[in-house]
């Protein structure tokens, strides 16, 4: 099975978070708990749903990821944008160790004030 | 502009208190997300990809400098220092925290603003011609009627759970700058043979999955009956609009399935029973609201300011700006100035807190303290003296808001797309940025002339792609972003829905494809023809042939 | 289910009778439209009050001629997001001038109190375990609404008229 992690949005500020190995929620996808087997994914999802029922997070689901350690990143474009921020405003994105990813189509992020 | 009286103030403050209680109950766990979602949506709070998003209403697009400064303050204090003008005269903040949203609303209430019904299956923020009150071709300021509709629709107890969202737009001029034919209800101010003010009422227009042009349900509605007639339409829709399928729940589907005649009969039947009731508008209430929109104290000025005429002659860049961004005013010696929020290569409609503060200062100095937000995601200074134009232009350049591209190919409407929106399939803004860079040469843009370019990141069509002369719709093809091109859409009085020209283009090819379409137009156009005119004259074949046979053979 | 009327939980004498249930010997009953149509004569002959429960697909117009026989018209909210019963309540009050009890039943939330009340509902079946105090917090939320509705309450439009008439 491909590697998966559990994601949601935090209730209080809405920010994207990932389930960590300790059962808490972290903002960096690279620090999330990775499930590489069906059974482990099921357990992780259950933990996530419990947190949703406890009103800590909203909208729990699993996503596929690639790579490992600081280079770990979601596979889909949507989830990469969730993980790293809008591609149009890098300065408003997430400040993770992995930094901002480069777009495959060569779009260069533009900053305010650039002419 | 309209000012709240004690009743308006009390109502908005009551609503803030109610919402504060709802948020507290959500945070305490008393309300589940499922229960809370419709409550927060009724106050414009979404949960998007990255965070909550708060959509604040700018009723009929009118703002004072004070209000704009408050928006800047909110962007700075509660968000990441910027906001986004939408295609429906709202502003969106992309990063508010749930527990701070009641404070934001309380701050907005201080300046007579709110986020009531900017989402949900409710009557949404009523929009109007951004040139209301100053357009040379206007019969009457549409904002008088938009304000009357705003009050009637705000917290209307019967219509808070409609089958689907409901959008009303008003124009006071025959030239439609409010896209009234693509709203659930479009209201056009008219005069009858006796010279009395009333309305043509249209119903069943919309974009989204099934674009439709609204049909006239009443040729002339006397003004005192505006609210009872709208209430009759809404009641009929609330009762028989489809609720079995979200995609068929808009009133346009009801009108399409039953026919305008049958819907018209049902509405008339309902209206006959309520038209002489409490909703019949008292003349003095109309007069009271109208007084707020009375023309400001204009100075008596010559029709053409000689000083500015000379400056224009000397400064080519200024002349170019005037050509695209300055419009005729009904008052001699004044001008309507469009501020382009589409600088080269920037996200359409995004403004920083510093820009908002600067614009507020400029509006105070040059536009009688008032500005407008357009559905094309730009700003308007409605009351600029021609003699101030040159100075204002210089100051707008400093703020990056004087790009001479309004109505041109780089004045792109784009929804937030996959960069922000939980519903999107593809990104919109980066494509807009690349097109903007491709056509960066302003001389070339002016040579191309009026070209309405509109981009949506999904079929919900918030970027109005159906009514773009060239429209792009983002689709997800096996995880890759593709863009379907439509041609020939138009939002105004010559409304038409764009037609899909062929298979979608990859993100890498789409900007080249757009440029080829423009090239075909430039080659085929006749004197004085806009892109849309040429397309309507020669049809889609030459465009299609160029794209699919000559240029992108492999893509077809 | 507790019945809320005028801010208090009150005894509910009405009994719902299913389409296949036997009619009780006495006491007021609420029946469906189907049962009413099938058993109209038997229900009228009982000599006690009858009420009707309409789904959001049904309309008071379907029983317009019978409305005078009903002590209660219960209008369903199958989900609180289905707003048809608001319009049906308004037609009951404003078009048919129905004077009896109009009861909100189904998926009822106190955040909608304002809507129920303004559209002409005067009785609400609240959730088991909810109290009048819970609902009291909702009742005063909007002091003065903008538009006229079916509660006869002061509204901004009418108050401004009064103010203008008083020369204020």
């Amino acid at each position: 099975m491909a590697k998966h992690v559990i994601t949601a949005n935090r209730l209080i500020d809405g920010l994207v978070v990932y389930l960590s190995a300790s059962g808490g929620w972290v903002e960096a996808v690279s620090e999330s708990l990775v499930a590489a087997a069906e059974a482990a994914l099921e357990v992780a999802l259950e933990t996530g749903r419990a947190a949703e029922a406890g009103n800590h997070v909203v909208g729990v689901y699993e996503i596929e990821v690639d790579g490992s350690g600081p280079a770990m990143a979601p596979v889909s474009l949507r989830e990469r944008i969730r993980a790293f921020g809008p591609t149009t405003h890098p300065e408003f994105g997430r400040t993770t160790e992995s930094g901002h990813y480069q777009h495959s189509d060569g779009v260069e992020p533009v900053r305010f004030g650039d002419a | 502009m309209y000012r709240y009286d004690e009743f308006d103030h009390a109502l908005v403050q009551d609503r803030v208190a109610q919402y504060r209680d709802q948020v507290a109950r959500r945070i305490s766990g008393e309300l589940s997300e499922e229960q809370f979602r419709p409550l927060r949506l009724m106050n414009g709070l979404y949960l998007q990809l990255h965070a909550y998003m708060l959509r604040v209403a700018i009723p009929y697009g009118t703002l004072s400098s004070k209000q704009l400064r408050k928006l800047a303050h909110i962007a700075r204090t509660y968000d990441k220092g910027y906001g986004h003008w939408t295609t429906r005269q709202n502003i969106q903040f992309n990063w508010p925290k749930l527990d701070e949203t009641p404070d934001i609303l309380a701050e907005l209430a201080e300046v007579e603003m709110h986020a009531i019904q900017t989402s949900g299956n409710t009557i949404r923020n009523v929009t109007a011609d951004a040139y209301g009150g100053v357009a040379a071709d206007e019969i009457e300021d549409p904002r008088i009627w938009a304000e009357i509709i705003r009050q009637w629709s705000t917290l209307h107890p019967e219509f808070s759970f409609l089958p689907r969202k409901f959008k009303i737009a008003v124009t006071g001029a025959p030239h439609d700058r409010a896209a009234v034919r693509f709203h659930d209800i479009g209201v056009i101010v008219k005069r009858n043979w006796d010279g009395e003010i009333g309305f043509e009422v249209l119903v069943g227009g919309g974009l989204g999955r099934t674009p439709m042009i609204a049909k006239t349900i009443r040729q002339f509605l006397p003004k005192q009956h505006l609210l009872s007639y709208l209430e009759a339409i809404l009641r009929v829709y609330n009762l028989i609009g489809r609720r079995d399928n979200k995609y068929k729940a808009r009133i346009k589907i009801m009108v399409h399935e039953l026919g305008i005649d049958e819907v018209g009969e049902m509405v008339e039947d309902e209206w006959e029973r309520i038209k002489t009731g409490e909703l019949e508008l008292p003349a003095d209430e109309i007069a009271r609201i109208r007084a707020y929109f009375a023309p400001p104290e204009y100075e008596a000025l010559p029709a053409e300011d000689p000083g500015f005429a000379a400056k224009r002659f000397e400064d080519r860049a200024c002349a170019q700006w005037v050509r695209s961004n300055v419009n005729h005013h009904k008052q001699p010696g004044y001008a309507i100035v469009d501020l382009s929020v589409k600088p080269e290569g920037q996200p359409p409609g995004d403004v920083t807190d510093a820009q908002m503060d600067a614009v507020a200062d400029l509006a105070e100095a040059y536009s009688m303290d008032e500005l407008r937000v357009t559905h094309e995601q730009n700003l308007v200074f409605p009351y600029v003296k021609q003699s101030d134009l040159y100075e204002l232009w210089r100051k707008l350049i400093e703020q990056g808001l004087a790009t001479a591209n309004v109505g041109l190919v780089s004045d792109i409407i784009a929804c937030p797309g996959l960069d922000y929106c939980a519903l999107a399939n593809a990104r919109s803004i980066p494509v807009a940025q690349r097109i903007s860079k491709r056509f960066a040469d302003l001389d070339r843009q002016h040579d191309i002339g009026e070209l309405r370019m509109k981009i949506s990141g999904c079929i919900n069509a918030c970027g109005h792609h159906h009514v773009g002369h060239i429209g792009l719709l983002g689709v997800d093809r096996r995880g890759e972003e593709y863009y379907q091109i439509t041609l020939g859409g138009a939002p105004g009085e010559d409304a038409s829905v764009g037609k899909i020209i062929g298979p979608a283009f990859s993100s890498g090819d789409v900007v080249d494809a757009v440029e080829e379409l423009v090239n075909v137009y430039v080659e085929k156009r006749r004197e004085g023809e806009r892109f849309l005119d040429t397309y309507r004259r020669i049809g889609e074949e030459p465009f299609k042939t160029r794209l699919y046979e000559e240029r992108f053979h492999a893509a077809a | 289910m507790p019945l809320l009327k005028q801010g208090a939980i009150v005894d509910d004498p009405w009994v719902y009778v299913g389409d296949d249930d036997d009619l009780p010997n006495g006491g007021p009953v609420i029946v469906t439209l189907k049962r009413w149509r099938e058993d109209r004569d038997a229900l009228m002959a009982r000599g006690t009050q009858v009420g009707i429960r309409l789904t959001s697909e049904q309309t008071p117009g379907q029983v317009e001629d019978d409305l005078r026989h009903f002590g209660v018209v219960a209008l369903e909210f199958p989900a609180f997001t289905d707003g048809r019963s608001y319009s049906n309540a308004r037609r009951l009050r404003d078009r048919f001038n129905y004077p009896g009890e109009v009861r909100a039943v189904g998926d009822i939330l106190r955040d909608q109190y304002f809507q129920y009340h303004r559209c002409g509902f005067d009785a609400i079946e609240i959730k088991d375990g909810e109290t009048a105090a819970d609902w009291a917090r909702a009742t005063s939320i909007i002091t003065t609404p903008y538009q006229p509705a079916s509660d006869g309450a002061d509204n901004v439009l009418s108050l401004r008229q009064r103010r203008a008439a008083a020369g204020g």
Side-chain angles (χ1 to χ4, degrees), chain B residues 2 5-6 8 14 18 21-22 25 151-152 154 157-158 160 231 238 270 273 284-285 288, chain C residues 80-81 83-84 87-88 90-91 95 110-111 114-115 137 141 143-144 146-148 160-161 163:
Chain B
Y2 186 71
D5 66 7
E6 69 271 29
D8 302 289
D14 286 349
Q18 180 189 34
D21 171 60
Q22 290 167 343
R25 284 154 64 208
Q151 296 190 18
W152 159 79
T154 296
E158 188 179 347
S160 53
E231 185 144 309
N238 190 36
E270 183 68 36
R273 299 163 193 264
D284 47 7
E285 176 64 5
R288 191 186 75 86
Chain C
F80 72 88
T81 49
R84 282 176 285 193
S87 287
N88 281 329
R90 292 210 60 192
R91 275 192 176 163
R95 180 189 287 198
R110 78 162 157 94
D111 295 281
F114 175 77
Q115 285 97 320
R137 278 202 285 157
I141 46 165
T143 325
T144 314
Y146 272 125
Q147 60 293 96
R160 282 184 183 144
Q161 279 307 102
R163 183 176 60 185

Side-chain angles (χ1 to χ4, degrees), chain B residues 131-149:
Chain B
Y131 292 176
V134 293
D137 61 339
E138 181 173 277
I139 292 170
E140 187 173 44
D141 193 335
R143 298 174 302 160
I144 299 162
W145 307 104
E147 174 59 27
I148 286 171
I149 295 170

